[in-house]
Amino acid sequence: MLRRTLLQLLAGTGIALDGQVLGSVENIRRRMDDTLVSATVSAAMLDQWEEATIGFGRQYMNTPPLRLLCDVLLEFSAVRKAMEQRQPVDLQERLCRMAAQLSGLSGMIMINLGDHRLARSFFRTGRTAADETGDRALRAWVTAREALVPLYYGDPREALNLAKKSRDMAGQTPCAAQAMAPVVEARALAMLSGSGKKDVVDQAKRALSRARAAFSQMTANEQDDSTFGYTERQLYFHQGDALVKLGQAMEADLILEQALTKYGPSDWLDPTFIKFDRAQCKLLEGDIDEAMEMAQKTLASLGDGCRPGILMQRAHEMAREVEAKDPNHKGLKLFQEALRAAPMEDPGGDA
């Protein structure tokens, strides 16, 4: 009707504003109203999804990664389906936030499962979703978490660059990334320059000092959230890990011992890393017997579903370091046999 009216006007034909034309005008306006208010998800449904997302974050430390990944991706798929339809601005922003968090959490799980390519892909998706929210703290969180991919998989220089980018994104906003990013910087510096160099030790310790200062500025909720925030126990763990890499065995062991006391009995992922780090401290101090005994007990404590690739990689590194120091050590053969009997979980396997 409106196209025909327009053509008639262009042709110079007089047109009366009759009921038919006005009806077409009103119909177009009504359709726009319907589009603007026809959200396919309710605020209550979004509340449930947000609660589920927070719940997945709590499960991250004590649930086998492959099982958690399945739950996370089912929720991620539901959020994606809702985003296919146009939503009101406030609901769309909440959906983008959840998409960024769930994508970032999926990337974290893929790191643990040993698939760094998929981890990178999830973090890239998380960055895209976070950009839609305009939230600097969220964008910085995704980038700080992404920095762990090159940190764990052999490119500390890129980890350092991503950590600095995260720090710049956070700016002066008190948030988890302000504490996480300098810790990653310290760990990457240690890996780049080896242990014992005073200038590197000083740089790394300055970064750790910045992390502690930033942590003190975080909200209580963020300090209590080990996935989307940053907890005191994680700060202790990562400080200790950086000091191990810097060759500061005595100081590292004291901090790692404190970190271990802050985890609960159901937490297994970080505590396992901490125990391997403490074994590494003993190795640095020259006590190979104690190092092997600690590593053996740590490996034996891991049940089915709790041997992700990143953890078993750390165990194999321990075996190689002992072999380099004492290839005929009596505990080494037993540890290597235990490693062969406890293969890492395959990220492509069934849940």
Side-chain angles (χ1 to χ4, degrees), residues 65 128 137 205 207 228 234 254 288 290 303 325 339:
T128 302
K205 288 192 172 182
F228 304 118
Q234 288 173 301
L254 288 172
I288 301 178
E290 182 69 12
K325 287 181 177 292
L339 282 175

Side-chain angles (χ1 to χ4, degrees), residues 38-171:
S38 64
T40 59
V41 292
S42 65
M45 179 60 72
L46 283 178
D47 289 342
Q48 291 177 22
W49 284 343
E50 286 171 342
E51 288 171 9
T53 300
I54 293 169
F56 292 144
R58 293 195 192 102
Q59 294 173 48
Y60 174 70
M61 287 291 180
N62 50 39
T63 302
L66 201 53
R67 191 172 76 199
L68 181 59
L69 181 67
C70 293
D71 288 337
V72 170
L73 289 183
L74 286 172
E75 207 74 16
F76 186 65
S77 181
V79 170
R80 181 203 59 79
K81 188 174 181 181
M83 293 179 72
E84 286 181 342
Q85 304 297 321
R86 190 244 172 236
Q87 307 289 346
V89 172
D90 57 335
L91 299 189
Q92 187 70 16
E93 184 175 336
R94 289 172 68 183
L95 286 168
C96 286
R97 172 175 291 278
M98 280 187 287
Q101 290 177 321
L102 290 169
S103 192
L105 179 53
S106 298
M108 292 161 61
I109 296 170
M110 293 313 304
I111 290 176
N112 295 340
L113 289 171
D115 194 325
H116 57 88
R117 184 188 63 82
L118 267 176
R120 271 296 175 79
S121 297
F122 272 114
F123 285 123
R124 185 166 60 246
T125 300
R127 284 203 313 270
T128 302
D131 286 346
E132 291 296 311
T133 69
D135 186 334
R136 293 174 67 99
L138 181 61
R139 294 170 63 205
W141 173 81
V142 174
T143 304
R145 285 293 184 180
E146 184 181 0
L148 296 178
V149 180
L151 186 74
Y152 284 128
Y153 291 103
D155 192 351
R157 193 171 299 281
E158 187 187 1
L160 184 62
N161 290 337
L162 283 170
K164 289 179 178 178
K165 186 182 293 186
S166 171
R167 186 185 62 193
D168 291 343
M169 283 180 182

Side-chain angles (χ1 to χ4, degrees), residues 13-317:
T13 305
I15 296 296
L17 193 62
D18 58 17
Q20 209 171 11
V21 174
L22 288 174
S24 296
V25 172
E26 172 63 11
N27 191 42
I28 288 174
R29 186 202 63 76
R30 188 179 295 114
R31 287 185 179 183
M32 177 56 79
D33 267 356
D34 291 342
T35 299
L36 290 171
V37 301
S38 64
T40 59
V41 292
S42 65
M45 179 60 72
L46 283 178
D47 289 342
Q48 291 177 22
W49 284 343
E50 286 171 342
E51 288 171 9
T53 300
I54 293 169
F56 292 144
R58 293 195 192 102
Q59 294 173 48
Y60 174 70
M61 287 291 180
N62 50 39
T63 302
L66 201 53
R67 191 172 76 199
L68 181 59
L69 181 67
C70 293
D71 288 337
V72 170
L73 289 183
L74 286 172
E75 207 74 16
F76 186 65
S77 181
V79 170
R80 181 203 59 79
K81 188 174 181 181
M83 293 179 72
E84 286 181 342
Q85 304 297 321
R86 190 244 172 236
Q87 307 289 346
V89 172
D90 57 335
L91 299 189
Q92 187 70 16
E93 184 175 336
R94 289 172 68 183
L95 286 168
C96 286
R97 172 175 291 278
M98 280 187 287
Q101 290 177 321
L102 290 169
S103 192
L105 179 53
S106 298
M108 292 161 61
I109 296 170
M110 293 313 304
I111 290 176
N112 295 340
L113 289 171
D115 194 325
H116 57 88
R117 184 188 63 82
L118 267 176
R120 271 296 175 79
S121 297
F122 272 114
F123 285 123
R124 185 166 60 246
T125 300
R127 284 203 313 270
T128 302
D131 286 346
E132 291 296 311
T133 69
D135 186 334
R136 293 174 67 99
L138 181 61
R139 294 170 63 205
W141 173 81
V142 174
T143 304
R145 285 293 184 180
E146 184 181 0
L148 296 178
V149 180
L151 186 74
Y152 284 128
Y153 291 103
D155 192 351
R157 193 171 299 281
E158 187 187 1
L160 184 62
N161 290 337
L162 283 170
K164 289 179 178 178
K165 186 182 293 186
S166 171
R167 186 185 62 193
D168 291 343
M169 283 180 182
Q172 298 304 309
T173 306
C175 61
Q178 271 199 332
M180 290 171 60
V183 171
V184 176
E185 286 184 51
R187 296 166 81 185
L189 281 167
M191 293 172 69
L192 277 169
S193 300
S195 63
K197 296 185 178 180
K198 186 178 185 307
D199 58 332
V200 177
V201 173
D202 290 344
Q203 285 182 61
K205 288 192 172 182
R206 283 196 296 271
L208 293 176
S209 180
R210 291 198 304 272
R212 289 190 293 270
F215 179 81
S216 68
Q217 300 299 313
M218 288 166 53
T219 65
N221 284 340
E222 286 181 312
Q223 291 179 351
D224 194 43
D225 189 337
S226 59
T227 299
F228 304 118
Y230 197 58
T231 63
E232 186 181 34
R233 62 189 187 180
Q234 288 173 301
L235 180 61
Y236 274 91
F237 161 34
H238 295 148
Q239 285 184 101
D241 183 71
L243 291 168
V244 170
K245 290 178 172 60
L246 288 166
Q248 307 287 294
M250 188 175 297
E251 186 179 355
D253 195 40
L254 288 172
I255 292 176
L256 291 167
E257 186 177 14
Q258 286 180 287
L260 206 53
T261 64
K262 297 179 181 298
Y263 285 86
S266 62
D267 299 318
W268 63 274
L269 185 60
D270 281 4
T272 305
F273 275 114
I274 291 170
K275 289 171 185 175
F276 277 128
D277 271 348
R278 294 196 70 198
Q280 176 73 25
C281 290
K282 299 302 179 186
L283 192 60
L284 288 171
E285 292 171 347
D287 191 344
I288 301 178
D289 291 344
E290 182 69 12
M292 279 284 84
E293 184 178 345
M294 291 174 72
Q296 184 80 29
K297 286 180 179 178
T298 301
L299 184 61
S301 70
L302 298 176
D304 291 340
C306 297
R307 294 189 296 270
I310 191 171
L311 205 50
M312 298 307 291
Q313 175 182 302
R314 183 68 189 88
H316 281 280
E317 286 173 2

